């Protein structure tokens, strides 16, 4: 109860603080550059100056926070990657040599690539199919709300839910896990699903697909509604069936949006951490780069150098996708 009250108090203080900053900064700006009872030339000059400064009153805090929480950690991580476990002694490229000779790194890298292939593709595909189907039924908005609901759950919370679904009890104990209960009902043998090498990665991926399908559905549903009715009507008059209309008329017109959704989920997948930590902690061949970075940085006494070099690899993998996504968005904006 105390934690809830503390969180609520912090939220209220945050909102009041933002409101106070908004009104206070505008009040000070208007006092510094007054526009009342002044000569016309001074009023015009003050208005121009105030209009130039005002946007930075709101951009300023965001830029400072981004600099402190984004750019500084990147620069310091790059620096630490050349130092020893304590971050004090310069070791040159030793951490990079260790990284590319580490079996654990290649296991994590392989698993990340597997996540990259499966999760964005599956989430985007299911989101597109659901968006198309729910636009055709009267209770579509209710269905969309239910499918979008997992987006409101944290990755840890979702992992706890799915841990009950995959739960395994040995011996003659009753299977409380939903998946094993179904298997036993049909006469099969219960399995400890998250300990089965290789396949356990897919069981973890299902959790993220379950969460992100709602995101893909909402974005793609908006894109589908933006397709001109004339193009679909023309296809119907030409004798096209439902599948032909979907794949040859609708999908090409929203391909840019599909690509943006896919790359957005891809960036998220590269940083996946919570699910693996909560479900397996990287055991049974499920290790991923973000969890490996966490292990080296904060566990076993910590090794800042090796943790930082894994973080640099994640950043290098994310940057090209982000650049492509930004260029794609800019191209679409210019096209409009």
């Amino acid at each position: 109860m105390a934690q809830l009250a503390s969180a609520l108090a912090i939220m209220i203080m945050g909102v009041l603080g933002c409101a106070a900053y908004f009104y206070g900064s505008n009040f000070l700006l208007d006092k510094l550059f007054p526009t009342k009872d002044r000569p016309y030339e001074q009023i015009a000059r003050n208005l121009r100056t105030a209009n130039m400064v005002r946007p930075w009153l709101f951009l300023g805090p965001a830029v400072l926070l981004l600099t402190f929480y984004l750019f500084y950690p990147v620069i310091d991580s790059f620096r630490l990657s050349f130092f020893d476990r304590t971050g004090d002694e310069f070791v040159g490229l030793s951490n990079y040599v260790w990284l590319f000779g580490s079996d654990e790194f290649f296991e994590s890298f392989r698993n990340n690539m597997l996540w990259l292939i499966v999760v964005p593709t599956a989430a985007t595909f299911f989101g597109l199919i659901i968006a198309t189907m729910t636009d055709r039924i009267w209770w579509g908005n209710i269905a969309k709300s239910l499918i979008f609901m997992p987006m409101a759950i944290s990755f840890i919370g979702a992992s706890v839910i799915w841990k009950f679904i995959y739960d395994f009890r040995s011996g003659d104990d009753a299977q409380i896990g939903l998946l094993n209960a179904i298997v036993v009902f049909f006469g099969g043998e219960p399995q400890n699903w998250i300990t089965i090498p290789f396949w356990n990665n897919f069981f973890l991926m299902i959790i993220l697909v379950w969460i992100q399908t709602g995101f893909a559905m909402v974005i793609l549903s908006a894109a589908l509604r933006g397709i001109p009715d004339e193009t679909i009507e023309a296809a119907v008059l030409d004798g096209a069936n439902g599948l032909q209309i979907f794949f040859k008329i609708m999908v090409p017109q929203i391909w840019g949006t599909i690509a943006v959704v896919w790359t957005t989920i891809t960036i998220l997948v590269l940083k996946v951490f919570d699910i693996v930590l909560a479900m397996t902690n990287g055991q049974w061949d499920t290790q991923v780069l973000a969890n490996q970075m966490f292990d080296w940085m904060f566990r076993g006494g910590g090794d800042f150098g090796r943790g930082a070099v894994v973080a640099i690899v994640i950043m290098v993998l994310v940057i090209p996708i982000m650049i492509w996504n930004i260029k794609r968005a800019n191209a679409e904006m210019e096209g409009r």
Side-chain angles (χ1 to χ4, degrees):
M1 193 65 184
Q3 291 179 341
L4 183 61
S6 176
L8 185 61
I10 291 171
M11 289 173 60
I12 294 171
M13 288 172 61
V15 172
L16 292 177
C18 290
Y21 173 78
F22 173 81
Y23 288 107
S25 60
N26 277 283
F27 177 78
L28 289 175
L29 185 64
D30 292 336
K31 287 293 183 183
L32 288 171
F33 303 101
T35 57
K36 293 181 179 180
D37 303 324
R38 294 291 190 278
Y40 175 79
E41 293 79 6
Q42 186 178 355
I43 291 175
R45 186 170 60 251
N46 286 352
L47 277 173
R48 284 196 300 269
T49 305
N51 288 335
M52 289 175 60
V53 173
R54 202 179 304 275
W56 290 102
L57 293 176
F58 307 104
L59 287 174
V63 171
L64 288 174
L65 288 173
L66 278 173
T67 302
F68 186 74
Y69 287 106
L70 186 62
F71 295 110
Y72 170 72
V74 168
I75 295 169
D76 202 49
S77 294
F78 185 71
R79 181 190 67 82
L80 284 172
S81 68
F82 296 101
F83 284 78
D84 67 347
R85 65 183 301 116
T86 61
D88 297 326
E89 184 180 345
F90 182 78
V91 295
L93 297 174
S94 297
N95 291 321
Y96 290 90
V97 172
W98 160 82
L99 182 75
F100 292 106
S102 168
D103 292 335
E104 183 184 5
F105 167 72
F106 284 106
E107 175 197 321
S108 304
F109 187 81
R110 181 201 67 202
N111 288 338
N112 263 105
M113 293 303 105
L114 196 61
W115 279 72
L116 280 176
I117 294 169
V118 175
V119 174
T121 304
T124 305
F125 173 77
F126 288 128
L128 179 59
I129 297 300
I130 293 169
T132 306
M133 293 176 65
T134 50
D135 280 342
R136 298 169 179 266
I137 52 179
W138 66 268
W139 49 277
N141 288 333
I142 299 173
K144 286 180 181 179
S145 300
L146 294 174
I147 293 166
F148 187 76
M149 201 174 292
M151 280 290 294
I153 304 173
S154 69
F155 285 3
I156 294 293
S159 299
V160 171
I161 293 170
W162 282 86
K163 214 162 191 176
F164 282 110
I165 293 175
Y166 294 143
D167 188 77
F168 167 77
R169 298 297 172 92
S170 58
D172 296 327
D173 293 342
Q175 298 298 327
I176 65 168
L178 178 62
L179 186 55
N180 274 320
I182 294 172
V183 170
V184 171
F185 178 80
F186 286 102
E189 289 292 325
Q191 302 289 330
N192 195 352
W193 304 102
I194 62 173
T195 66
I196 303 173
F198 183 71
W199 297 107
N200 50 8
N201 286 288
F202 291 95
F203 292 126
L204 300 188
M205 291 176 206
I206 289 171
I207 302 172
L208 191 52
V209 172
W210 178 66
I211 295 171
Q212 290 300 308
T213 295
F215 163 75
M217 174 199 68
V218 168
I219 303 300
L220 294 172
S221 179
L224 286 170
R225 291 187 178 184
I227 295 175
D229 293 335
E230 293 81 3
T231 58
I232 297 175
E233 291 170 1
V236 172
L237 291 174
D238 288 339
N241 58 38
L243 287 176
Q244 289 173 327
I245 292 173
F246 179 71
F247 286 108
K248 294 184 178 180
I249 304 298
M250 299 172 70
V251 169
Q253 292 188 72
I254 62 167
W255 186 251
T257 306
I258 293 173
V260 169
V261 169
W262 188 89
T263 52
T264 303
I265 299 175
T266 297
I267 293 171
L268 177 69
V269 169
L270 279 169
K271 301 181 290 183
V272 67
F273 162 73
D274 316 58
I275 294 171
V276 175
L277 177 69
M279 295 293 289
T280 65
N281 195 23
Q283 300 178 85
W284 308 297
D285 298 334
T286 61
Q287 186 68 291
V288 291
L289 290 173
N291 196 61
Q292 185 186 18
M293 177 195 71
F294 179 81
D295 285 345
W296 280 109
M297 190 70 78
F298 300 109
R299 288 179 173 167
D303 190 323
F304 290 160
R306 292 186 176 182
V309 81
V310 178
I312 293 298
V313 170
I314 297 172
M315 184 186 70
V316 169
L317 292 172
V318 168
I319 286 174
I321 301 171
M322 289 182 63
I323 292 173
W324 184 87
N325 212 356
I326 292 169
K327 285 185 176 180
R328 183 91 188 189
N330 288 338
E332 286 190 0
M333 291 296 292
E334 290 173 2
R336 291 178 185 176

